[in-house]
Amino acid sequence: MSAAQPPAPPPARRGRPGYDQETVLRRAVELFNRQGYDATSMGDLARELGLSKSAIYHHVDSKEQLLSAALDEALDELTAAVEQAVDPASTDPASTRLEDVVHRSVRILVTHRPAVTLLLRVRGNSEVELAALRRRRKLDEDLAGLVAEAAEEGAVRSDIAPELTSRLLFGLVNSLVEWYRPDGPVDVDTLARSIAVLAFDGLRVPPAG
């Protein structure tokens, strides 16, 4: 009896060489941001990549799958940062953890700016978008709890509702998608430090001495 032959390798996936799933996702996010998710079809994406429409489906199952992956990219690291900050086992003051979340959220936004831009534009028109909005609300709630802890410590103002402070902090960071450019004159460390100073110390010049 002859030796068993090794199984034949799977057929190569069709499509233009150089396009993997990650590249397709990056280009899809760019296109969604440029012309709107609802106004973009898989045919539009195929033309953007110079592929046939059928070749796109060798990388992803649907437009919704691309949206879901992009929104997860925008939310996963931020969720991890907030969850670490609100961890009841932490021994750091709430005010320190709150400031750290602001620093980290700036860096996360800069690193994942296209995906965050897309996240900020969703309106709940599908279950994928609704799930992302629920995750955003949970982040607001968790951060508001941390603000309340910091207020109890006497480190931040207690005369502003924690929920409002939470939304204002995230709003300040999220505004970066409209104007910040990583290749501009302000590096990400300076940016994160400046936003934290503005958020926690304000614009007033501190009194002398």
Side-chain angles (χ1 to χ4, degrees), residues 122-176:
V122 302
R123 294 294 180 266
N125 295 330
S126 67
E127 182 51 44
V128 169
E129 294 186 28
L130 289 170
L133 292 177
R134 286 193 291 270
R135 292 183 68 182
R136 285 189 65 186
R137 284 194 293 272
K138 180 65 163 55
L139 292 175
D140 279 329
E141 292 167 2
D142 287 346
L143 193 67
L146 190 58
V147 171
E149 286 186 50
E152 290 174 3
E153 295 172 349
V156 302
R157 298 177 61 139
S158 60
D159 59 334
I160 300 175
E163 295 79 10
L164 178 57
T165 300
S166 171
R167 288 183 178 275
L168 289 172
L169 285 173
F170 274 139
L172 180 60
V173 174
N174 290 339
S175 71
L176 299 178

Side-chain angles (χ1 to χ4, degrees), residues 18-200:
Y19 286 136
D20 56 13
Q21 193 170 38
E22 181 64 22
T23 303
V24 171
L25 176 60
R26 297 273 76 78
R27 296 289 291 276
V29 171
E30 292 173 4
L31 190 58
F32 293 159
N33 283 333
R34 191 163 70 241
Q35 65 184 40
Y37 172 75
D38 290 331
T40 301
S41 67
M42 291 294 275
D44 293 331
L45 180 57
R47 286 189 290 275
E48 179 81 4
L49 294 167
L51 300 174
S52 67
K53 188 174 178 179
S54 61
I56 291 289
Y57 289 103
H58 284 266
H59 297 289
V60 293
D61 295 331
S62 65
K63 188 175 77 164
E64 289 74 19
Q65 182 185 0
L66 288 166
L67 177 64
S68 180
L71 298 181
D72 284 345
E73 177 191 335
L75 285 162
D76 285 352
E77 286 190 36
L78 185 57
T79 299
V82 172
E83 287 179 346
Q84 181 179 341
V86 301
D87 184 354
S90 175
T91 58
D92 292 331
S95 57
T96 299
R97 289 179 276 136
L98 181 61
E99 188 166 349
D100 181 63
V101 166
V102 172
H103 276 267
R104 291 180 66 181
S105 64
V106 170
R107 291 184 172 87
I108 291 167
L109 183 144
V110 170
T111 301
H112 302 282
R113 183 170 169 269
V116 174
T117 301
L118 182 60
L119 170 66
L120 296 177
R121 293 176 179 174
V122 302
R123 294 294 180 266
N125 295 330
S126 67
E127 182 51 44
V128 169
E129 294 186 28
L130 289 170
L133 292 177
R134 286 193 291 270
R135 292 183 68 182
R136 285 189 65 186
R137 284 194 293 272
K138 180 65 163 55
L139 292 175
D140 279 329
E141 292 167 2
D142 287 346
L143 193 67
L146 190 58
V147 171
E149 286 186 50
E152 290 174 3
E153 295 172 349
V156 302
R157 298 177 61 139
S158 60
D159 59 334
I160 300 175
E163 295 79 10
L164 178 57
T165 300
S166 171
R167 288 183 178 275
L168 289 172
L169 285 173
F170 274 139
L172 180 60
V173 174
N174 290 339
S175 71
L176 299 178
V177 303
E178 301 298 335
W179 60 268
Y180 181 70
R181 298 294 179 270
D183 56 353
V186 180
D187 63 80
V188 67
D189 290 330
T190 300
L191 181 68
R193 183 170 59 253
S194 299
I195 287 179
V197 168
L198 180 63
F200 296 105

